[in-house]
Amino acid sequence: MISPSNAETIRRAGTLIREGRLVAFPTETVYGLGANALDAGAVERIFRVKGRPSTSPVIVHVASVQAARELVTAWPPAAEALARRFWPGPLTLVLSKRDCIPSIVTAGLPTAGLRVPANPVALELLKAAGTPIAAPSANRFSELSPTAAAHVHESLGDQVDLILDGGPAQVGIESTVLSLAGPVPLLLRPGMISQVQIEEVIGAIHIAPTPGDGPHLAPGMHAKHYSPRTPLLLHVPDSGRGAHLWLQHQMPAAKAVRMPADPAHYAALLYKTLHSLDQEGFDWIAVEVPPNSAEWAGIRDRLNRAAAI
């Protein structure tokens, strides 16, 4: 059931979270499928509903920096500096966790990804629940992420106890994920907070290698991810009826959608546009590859994974 995010509904959603139920809610990135992060049984339901593999950890959302500190065994100076600069916001920090976070949340790893979302509904839900909320994107695993309440309903239907409607997501793609748990900071997933922006705060960081078959250090590291049902291609095929997302050049296609040249605006519209095109029965969706620069890295990552075979 989709409900408007008024105070009474948010209080009800907080009660559902405490009872071990699932609530889909808006964040500034995408809509999340939330459960009590300290309740292993509730989090297990997230994995079951999404069809999510146990090797993919789930981000823990908290209401404040202090709430994040209480869930980790160490809070290094880099975490403090980045939290002060980017929280609330689309940056997830991976740190050594306390035992109160169940292993199912973290794919059995001793680390957990934490962030404070920059969305008033999400923050009010966290306060109403009185507990950290584990929440991956509110969709079937590896499919196109939801940026509107209707997308959640289309993907998961009545498998969610409540869907809070907070309007369209403003950032539009998932958070940047940075690990501070080891000797050097590792960028695990690019996003709209770029490597350059992070390095302006804490100095040089490293790019994580491609993960193997075991547990992943962050969500979104599978080769195939963020995919519409319609095949997404990074070239224009010679045949078939398709749509083309382009930045600079009109391409031959049944439907051409000109995307914004600014990366922030592009990201905000990307999943919304792909959801819409997915309904039109095209043979393919061809996307012009964005520039190879730091501010486009998160978008390029999502498109590369969506196009993976």
Side-chain angles (χ1 to χ4, degrees):
M1 179 179 67
I2 300 176
S3 295
S5 52
N6 55 44
E8 181 180 350
T9 305
I10 291 173
R11 284 194 295 270
R12 180 183 167 216
T15 299
L16 289 172
I17 292 289
R18 290 194 300 276
E19 292 175 347
R21 311 278 286 279
L22 298 186
V23 174
F25 64 97
T27 78
E28 78 280 22
T29 58
V30 300
Y31 273 66
L33 181 60
N36 183 347
L38 308 184
D39 181 340
V43 176
E44 193 278 332
R45 189 177 171 204
I46 290 177
F47 280 80
R48 186 169 66 251
V49 165
K50 282 180 60 73
R52 186 183 185 89
S54 61
T55 54
S56 185
V58 178
I59 291 170
V60 177
H61 296 72
V62 292
S64 65
V65 173
Q66 180 56 36
R69 290 193 195 104
E70 293 171 357
L71 296 174
V72 299
T73 60
W75 184 257
E80 183 68 20
L82 290 168
R84 287 184 180 276
R85 173 65 180 83
F86 296 115
W87 283 1
L91 175 66
T92 296
L93 299 178
V94 175
L95 298 155
S96 297
K97 74 177 185 73
R98 293 192 184 276
D99 291 340
C100 60
I101 300 178
S103 62
I104 189 172
V105 175
T106 66
L109 297 171
T111 55
L114 307 167
R115 86 176 184 98
V116 179
N119 179 284
V121 175
L123 292 172
E124 288 300 317
L125 174 60
L126 284 160
K127 293 174 185 176
T131 184
I133 295 177
S137 57
N139 60 303
R140 295 286 298 173
F141 181 74
S142 83
E143 294 182 359
L144 196 56
S145 297
T147 57
H151 298 158
V152 181
H153 189 263
E154 290 164 8
S155 180
L156 301 179
D158 60 3
Q159 296 183 85
V160 183
D161 296 299
L162 183 66
I163 302 172
L164 291 174
D165 188 351
Q170 300 302 304
V171 172
I173 68 170
E174 300 78 3
S175 63
T176 303
V177 181
L178 180 76
S179 175
L180 298 175
V184 296
L186 281 179
L187 183 63
L188 303 178
R189 179 175 72 184
M192 295 313 292
I193 294 177
S194 71
Q195 179 179 351
V196 170
Q197 289 174 290
I198 293 170
E199 290 182 334
E200 287 174 350
V201 178
I202 64 169
I205 65 175
H206 296 238
I207 307 297
T210 301
D213 295 333
H216 292 182
L217 295 173
M221 299 183 77
H222 285 79
K224 180 73 171 175
H225 219 86
Y226 316 113
S227 303
R229 293 184 299 275
T230 307
L232 188 144
L233 309 172
L234 301 182
H235 66 278
V236 180
D238 296 327
S239 62
R241 174 177 173 269
H244 185 233
L245 273 62
W246 56 287
L247 282 166
Q248 298 178 19
H249 304 98
Q250 180 85 43
M251 300 296 288
K255 181 169 186 175
V257 179
R258 182 161 190 171
M259 296 293 286
D262 172 71
H265 292 143
Y266 187 111
L269 290 176
L270 176 59
Y271 290 158
K272 175 184 177 181
T273 302
L274 292 177
H275 274 287
S276 178
L277 294 175
D278 226 2
Q279 307 298 319
E280 298 197 30
F282 290 118
D283 297 319
W284 43 263
I285 301 169
V287 182
E288 183 180 353
V289 179
N292 187 19
S293 58
E295 63 269 27
W296 288 92
I299 295 166
R300 289 174 64 91
D301 172 79
R302 304 310 187 271
L303 292 175
N304 285 333
R305 294 180 192 278
I309 298 174

